[in-house]
């Protein structure tokens, strides 16, 4: 198996469908293996890997039903901590977003916003919305991947955190265009979710203000 | 050029003196210890005011310099506790005016990274900065130190200190928790909260206190508290490392003194083939040398400030500062 990405919590391998699943199958699959972390105490290590593997498989499937492109889940191995997933060909949004023309970027960001809204409407949050976790395919679809920190959570707070995290990811990785990109994402989000989006957007702003390093109430005297 | 730096963001008042080749000529710290409870901002500020002169005299003596030899005054302008920041700023302004030398304000978090780079020779690390007042995962990109992850509520040092106080251990609680954790054997599941790259410790702290009140063994709770909180810190640092594809990891801040956290960070760095750095304890903690060196870097790369611009900022973000020297 060839290692294509050594992520923070899992290794991704690219493998032939025929070798992993069925000899009659063609094409490639991704094997996502949640490796044990030596730095963690074994009980915690097991708990995190097991729950994230099982939950991720369910979230990937449910997101697809909700109208958000995700890789198909072919197999869930809860003892080996492996998922076998469809291999999605495309480019990470991380590496294309800064290069796009403003109009195209706007369109892409709106679509991302709409898809986040669909996830939220279906009772899910992604938990790690960054542009590294979005794959743009040739036909213009945006696949959301890596639901390892996702949850079933309909609360205002969880949805607000989801939006806030994406904003922070844009600010750290795409700082030149972060504000415009986020505004377009929010526009798409509101389009899809309607009026109920307003409370969530307000909550995301509140979470930002709640943060530890946010200027507020600073006295004028120094 | 010789720069004198004044640190005063929280419980430590420090004066450090460095020259432009990176030699640390003096580093004197005076630390306020509350009689009970945690840091009281006003009392800490009064402590700083009372100790400023002694610290200055000691620093000059240890550097074998006269006040007239100082070419630049730097001070910690934030983030930190308002009364403490204002006291340190007042000392810095008075000194700069009296000596008739330029003054420069320094971001405290960035100073921790810069002293680490100077002393440890790290070039471009992903830094986990953990203390009683701060918890951030920071990496440099395009002219600024970007915050890749941070606490959404309380810092890890505060989490440990408040937990310790709640279960009757003396301040500062971190070392007490570490000592007891070494004797703990049973892992008690506690809330593990990582939201993307950000962290949250308030729920963890509350639950750990509840377990104590429910009668669980304090050593086991300390062990579980450390294991859970530190695993979250290391995971976020690991994510930032994977995301930025950098080759170095640095751990700094007061909580960097914790041996278990060091071990976990080292294991993580090794797994990713990254070099791991922890500055000596003196420079992990708040001190004037951090501020002096960072102020000197800024000044020699063109940063200038008028006296009326040396405003303190309690919530000054790491990623608001243009880094002229990188």
């Amino acid at each position: 198996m060839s290692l294509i990405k050594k992520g923070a919590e899992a290794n991704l391998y690219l493998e032939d469908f025929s070798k992993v699943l069925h000899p009659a199958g063609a094409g490639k699959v991704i094997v996502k293996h949640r490796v044990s972390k030596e730095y963690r105490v074994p009980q915690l290590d097991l708990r995190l890997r097991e729950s994230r593997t099982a939950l991720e498989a369910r979230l990937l499937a449910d997101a697809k039903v909700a109208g958000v492109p995700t890789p198909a889940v072919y197999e869930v191995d809860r003892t080996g901590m492996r998922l076998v997933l469809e291999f999605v060909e495309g480019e990470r949004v991380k590496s294309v977003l800064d290069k796009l023309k403003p109009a195209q970027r706007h369109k892409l960001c709106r679509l991302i916003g709409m898809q986040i809204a669909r996830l939220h409407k279906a009772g899910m949050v992604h938990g790690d919305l960054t542009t590294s976790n979005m794959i743009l395919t040739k036909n213009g679809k945006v696949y959301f991947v890596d639901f390892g920190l996702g949850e079933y959570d309909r609360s205002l707070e969880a949805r607000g955190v989801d939006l806030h995290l994406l904003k922070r990811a844009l600010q750290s990785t795409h700082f030149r265009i972060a504000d415009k990109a986020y505004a377009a994402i929010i526009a798409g989000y509101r389009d899809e979710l309607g009026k109920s989006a307003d409370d969530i957007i307000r909550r995301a702003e509140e979470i930002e203000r709640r943060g530890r390093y946010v200027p507020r109430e600073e006295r004028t005297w120094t | 050029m010789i720069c004198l730096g004044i640190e005063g963001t929280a419980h430590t008042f420090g004066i450090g003196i460095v020259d432009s080749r990176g030699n640390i000529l003096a580093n004197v710290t005076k630390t306020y210890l509350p009689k009970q409870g945690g840091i009281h901002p006003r009392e800490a500020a009064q402590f700083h005011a009372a100790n400023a002169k002694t610290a200055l005299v000691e620093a000059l003596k240890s550097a074998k310099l006269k006040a007239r030899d100082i070419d630049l005054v730097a001070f910690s302008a934030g983030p930190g506790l308002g009364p403490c920041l204002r006291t340190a700023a007042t000392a810095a302004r008075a000194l700069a005016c009296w000596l008739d030398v330029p003054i420069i304000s320094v971001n405290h978090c960035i100073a921790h990274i810069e002293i680490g780079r100077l002393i440890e020779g790290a070039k471009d690390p992903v830094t986990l900065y953990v203390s009683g007042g701060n918890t951030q995962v920071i990496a440099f990109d395009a002219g600024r130190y970007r915050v890749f992850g941070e606490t959404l509520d309380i810092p890890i040092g505060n989490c440990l200190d408040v937990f310790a106080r709640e279960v009757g251990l003396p301040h500062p609680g971190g070392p007490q928790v570490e000592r007891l954790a070494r004797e703990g054997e049973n892992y008690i599941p506690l809330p593990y909260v990582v939201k993307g790259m950000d962290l949250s410790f308030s729920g963890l702290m509350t639950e750990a206190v509840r377990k104590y009140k429910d009668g669980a063994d304090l050593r086991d709770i300390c062990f579980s508290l450390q294991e859970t909180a530190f695993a979250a810190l290391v995971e976020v640092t690991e994510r930032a490392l994977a995301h930025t594809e950098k080759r170095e990891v640095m751990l700094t801040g007061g909580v960097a003194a914790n041996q278990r956290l060091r071990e976990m960070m080292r294991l993580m760095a090794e797994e990713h083939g990254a070099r791991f750095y922890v500055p000596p304890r003196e420079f992990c903690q708040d001190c004037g040398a951090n501020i002096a060196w960072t102020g000197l870097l800024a000044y020699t790369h063109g940063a200038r400030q008028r006296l009326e611009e040396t405003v303190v900022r309690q919530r000054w973000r790491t990623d608001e500062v243009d880094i002229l020297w990188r």
Side-chain angles (χ1 to χ4, degrees):
Chain A
M1 286 205 281
S2 65
L3 182 70
I4 59 164
K5 173 129 181 76
K6 189 171 167 55
E9 61 147 6
N11 293 340
L12 296 185
Y13 301 91
L14 190 61
E15 187 53 283
D16 291 330
F17 189 103
S18 58
K19 277 195 194 147
V20 182
L21 292 164
H22 193 278
K28 297 281 186 188
V29 294
I30 292 284
V31 178
K32 178 168 186 172
H33 181 207
R34 282 198 161 73
V35 287
S36 176
K37 297 290 176 187
E38 214 187 326
Y39 65 78
R40 279 194 296 239
V41 68
Q43 295 94 320
L44 179 62
D45 188 63
L46 201 68
R47 176 181 126 201
L48 291 176
R49 291 160 66 215
E50 205 173 56
S51 61
R52 286 176 182 177
T53 302
L55 190 59
E56 182 172 19
R58 286 173 55 203
L59 288 163
L60 282 166
D62 287 348
K64 196 186 270 303
V65 174
V68 177
T70 57
V73 181
Y74 296 137
E75 194 169 76
V76 185
D77 174 0
R78 286 185 65 162
T79 43
M81 312 292 182
R82 284 170 218 267
L83 292 177
V84 182
L85 306 168
E86 175 191 1
F87 173 56
V88 178
E89 254 181 289
E91 273 196 280
R92 284 196 297 178
V93 171
K94 181 189 174 186
S95 52
V96 296
L97 196 64
D98 290 283
K99 290 185 272 181
L100 287 176
K101 293 199 185 88
Q104 283 175 297
R105 184 159 57 225
H106 184 81
K107 216 176 121 195
L108 176 64
C109 288
R110 276 186 75 95
L111 177 62
I112 290 170
M114 288 171 75
Q115 292 189 177
I116 297 169
R118 284 179 202 153
L119 271 187
H120 288 183
K121 248 201 291 200
M124 290 170 271
V125 291
H126 183 278
D128 191 15
L129 286 171
T130 68
T131 49
S132 308
N133 287 335
M134 299 171 191
I135 298 170
L136 179 64
T137 62
K138 264 203 204 101
N139 56 13
K141 279 191 177 180
V142 179
Y143 277 73
F144 283 11
V145 300
D146 195 358
F147 280 69
L149 291 175
E151 278 177 295
Y152 290 91
D153 194 333
R154 291 182 173 273
S155 70
L156 211 52
E157 178 73 11
R159 292 172 177 181
V161 167
D162 231 13
L163 292 182
H164 170 64
L165 290 177
L166 179 57
K167 185 177 186 185
R168 292 254 299 99
L170 290 169
Q171 284 167 341
S172 60
T173 315
H174 306 281
F175 33 85
R176 283 182 200 89
I177 51 142
D179 291 346
K180 277 194 176 146
Y182 187 69
I185 287 169
I186 289 300
Y189 186 78
R190 190 179 265 130
D191 264 9
E192 181 74 20
L193 213 54
K195 272 189 74 142
S196 56
D198 294 344
D199 281 346
I200 301 164
I201 293 161
R202 252 199 308 278
R203 180 60 71 98
E205 287 161 6
E206 187 195 315
I207 291 162
E208 186 176 353
R209 283 197 302 275
R210 225 190 271 159
R212 195 162 174 81
Y213 303 97
V214 181
R216 69 175 171 200
E217 88 223 7
E218 287 205 317
R219 311 203 182 153
T220 46
W221 50 287
T222 52
Chain B
M1 175 172 242
I2 291 176
C3 178
L4 181 143
I6 300 180
E7 156 66 34
T9 55
H11 63 323
T12 298
F13 185 84
I15 292 196
I17 303 175
V18 302
D19 68 17
S20 29
R21 275 177 301 181
N23 296 310
I24 291 154
L25 310 172
N27 197 26
V28 173
T29 55
K30 305 280 174 192
T31 304
Y32 155 80
L33 255 179
K35 284 191 189 71
Q36 56 172 25
I39 299 175
H40 188 302
R42 189 187 61 229
E43 282 178 11
Q46 283 164 353
F47 173 90
H48 294 352
N51 284 274
K53 189 181 165 193
T54 332
L56 178 62
V57 171
E58 281 178 29
L60 287 170
K61 194 176 165 201
S62 120
K64 300 192 179 68
L65 291 172
K66 299 264 179 283
R68 293 284 156 204
D69 298 326
I70 304 299
D71 303 305
L72 173 69
V73 173
F75 75 101
S76 57
L81 304 170
C84 303
L85 290 172
R86 286 189 284 273
T87 305
T90 305
R93 290 178 199 133
L95 194 60
C97 287
W98 177 53
L99 295 171
D100 195 22
V101 296
I103 184 169
I104 199 103
S105 47
V106 168
N107 180 293
H108 174 90
C109 307
I110 290 172
H112 272 285
I113 303 172
E114 288 306 336
I115 202 75
R117 290 178 64 225
L118 171 70
I119 291 174
E120 292 297 299
K123 289 184 183 68
D124 186 22
V126 171
T127 302
L128 173 62
Y129 168 39
V130 275
S131 67
N134 296 285
T135 296
Q136 298 183 340
V137 177
I138 307 162
F140 185 79
D141 190 11
R144 288 195 179 181
Y145 282 106
R146 312 280 164 184
V147 178
F148 280 83
E150 64 192 317
T151 178
L152 293 167
D153 41 54
I154 56 172
I156 177 62
N158 189 248
C159 168
L160 297 172
D161 284 348
V162 174
F163 167 78
R165 201 187 312 151
E166 290 290 316
V167 301
L169 297 168
H171 182 89
Q176 307 285 339
V177 173
E178 181 178 10
R179 182 176 53 80
L180 287 164
R182 272 198 288 272
E183 295 163 22
E185 284 171 1
N186 303 307
Y187 178 76
I188 303 166
L190 291 171
Y192 179 94
V193 185
V194 170
K195 292 185 185 286
M197 304 278 256
D198 288 336
L199 300 140
S200 159
F201 297 111
S202 57
L204 170 64
M205 197 267 288
T206 311
E207 184 62 18
V209 172
R210 189 176 297 151
K211 290 274 191 271
Y212 175 73
K213 289 183 176 152
D214 288 347
D217 188 309
L218 184 57
R219 292 166 301 185
D220 288 343
I221 305 172
C222 288
F223 169 68
S224 310
L225 176 62
Q226 277 200 174
E227 288 301 323
T228 310
F230 293 172
L233 287 168
V234 177
E235 177 172 14
V236 170
T237 313
E238 186 176 25
R239 283 171 170 269
L241 188 66
H243 186 79
T244 59
E245 292 165 3
K246 294 194 191 284
R247 312 294 305 153
E248 297 173 324
V249 178
M250 187 158 75
L251 171 64
T252 189
V255 185
N258 189 298
Q259 293 299 324
R260 175 60 181 147
L261 180 58
R262 286 182 185 217
E263 182 191 14
M264 289 166 78
M265 287 285 285
R266 184 178 50 76
L267 287 168
M268 183 275 287
E270 274 170 11
E271 198 193 308
H272 288 266
R275 295 197 63 169
F276 179 51
Y277 303 95
V278 190
R281 197 187 177 113
E282 181 185 357
F283 301 105
C284 277
Q285 292 174 343
D286 294 355
C287 69
N290 298 5
I291 305 297
W293 173 240
T294 311
L296 195 143
L297 282 175
Y299 188 83
T300 52
H301 289 80
R304 296 291 182 271
Q305 262 180 326
R306 284 178 290 127
L307 197 64
E308 54 269 37
E309 291 170 333
T310 56
V311 180
V312 302
R313 298 176 65 186
Q314 295 178 49
R315 291 167 177 268
W316 193 7
R317 286 192 63 87
T318 307
D319 50 15
E320 285 178 73
V321 185
D322 285 320
I323 307 301
L324 306 169
W325 55 91
R326 287 191 66 174

